[in-house]
Amino acid sequence: MHRPLAILSGPAARTAIAAGCARPLAGGPLAFALVETVAGIIPATALAGDHPLVRPRAPWAGFDLSRPVIMGIVNVTPDSFSDGGDHDNAEAAIAHGRRLMAEGADIVDIGGESTRPGAAPVPVDVEIARVVPVIRALAAEGAVISIDTRHAAVMRAAAAAGARIINDVTALTGDRDSLSVAADLGLPLVLMHIKGEPQTMQDAPRYDDVTAEVGDWLAARIEAAVAAGIARATIAVDPGIGFGKDLDHNVDLLARTGALHRLGCPLLIGVSRKRFIAGLSRGEAAKDRVAGSIAAALHSLGQGAHILRVHDVAATMQAVAVWQALQSA
């Protein structure tokens, strides 16, 4: 495993790169001076220019990844962990999607099945009926829509309605037809790590080294996708914070997020309102975890994350704008 250390930003990053003592992290605005390997710590300049930690990321889903991409969440469900029932009909979900667009969301992520811990599966026809009217309406208004689903039939229906990205919490393992359907559709996609399935994933998950194991699992899913005919350049990855991980696992993953750049793909981080925030704080309810969500999101940007999946678009956009200005000063 290669983990970037001594990460720099703004003028310090540019100066260090120009002086030949640091490398750009994934080709972005950050730089790193050191690398942690299994053999010890080495200078970043020892890496080849085409090493995944260094190599620039090409645009993904039409987005220039030199700036953070914000993905806003629309759950058309009665039982999602944070906002279940708030937008569980098409009219309310469409209105919420419009709000997220107005607040600056680059992508609107629409889901019709809760994958919170303990959630029961939803019949595919119910999931399709929930999401398709919302996708069709928002896509017609110019939104870039991602479909949050683990079912191949939903992927097809969503694409036909105007979805332009597939976001699968099972990394195309949840449905035997998902790989072939994703390859046939040719849409950009997000492969997320999950251990187990929603009903069982929080039943005492165990890892020897969570960050290394999540990275290895995602690497295998990338190769499976490529073998199925999916273009590597269309793939982004998500470590799946809260999906088959306990509090310590989540903290370790976020602390060492930069190590996942070894996969060579754009990195999406979804921490919004998740339970680990309450575990680190005072047990707040989901809707009272906005500040903690933003703290984790900004930390992830400092590790070179490219895409943030969030409930609170306006608050996140404000925080990111201030963070970027201070990093560049």
Side-chain angles (χ1 to χ4, degrees), residues 10-194:
R14 293 189 293 271
T15 300
I17 292 170
C21 52
R23 288 290 185 85
L25 180 59
L30 304 179
F32 63 108
L34 300 171
V35 184
E36 180 184 18
T37 74
V38 292
I41 294 175
I42 62 172
T45 51
L47 300 180
D50 63 349
H51 190 281
L53 288 186
V54 179
R55 186 172 64 243
R57 301 295 183 258
W60 177 82
F63 293 102
D64 177 358
L65 299 179
S66 64
R67 66 159 183 90
V69 174
I70 305 300
M71 175 186 282
I73 300 167
V74 177
N75 289 316
V76 197
T77 60
D79 58 342
S80 290
F81 81 95
S82 171
D83 56 357
D86 288 356
H87 318 114
D88 65 348
N89 64 77
E91 182 179 1
I94 293 166
H96 185 57
R98 287 175 178 147
R99 282 193 295 273
L100 298 183
M101 293 166 64
E103 291 172 356
D106 298 294
I107 302 167
V108 178
D109 190 49
I110 298 173
E113 178 189 42
S114 174
T115 50
R116 61 177 172 77
V122 171
V124 167
D125 58 339
V126 173
E127 187 180 351
I128 290 173
R130 289 175 176 175
V131 301
V132 163
V134 184
I135 294 169
R136 187 176 292 121
L138 294 176
E141 297 178 16
V144 176
I145 303 294
S146 63
I147 176 62
D148 176 4
T149 186
R150 51 182 172 157
H151 299 118
V154 181
M155 295 174 193
R156 280 202 184 279
R164 293 160 56 183
I165 299 166
I166 296 168
N167 180 16
D168 185 354
V169 300
T170 71
L172 303 178
T173 65
D175 184 324
R176 64 182 182 182
D177 295 325
S178 291
L179 273 170
S180 61
V181 167
D184 183 51
L185 292 172
L187 297 176
L189 66 134
V190 180
L191 302 179
M192 196 195 82
H193 176 273
I194 185 172

Side-chain angles (χ1 to χ4, degrees), residues 303-324:
Q303 294 276 304
H306 302 97
I307 308 158
L308 300 177
R309 182 178 182 272
V310 305
H311 294 87
D312 304 287
V313 169
T316 302
M317 294 285 291
Q318 183 183 81
V320 169
V322 173
W323 180 86
Q324 287 182 300

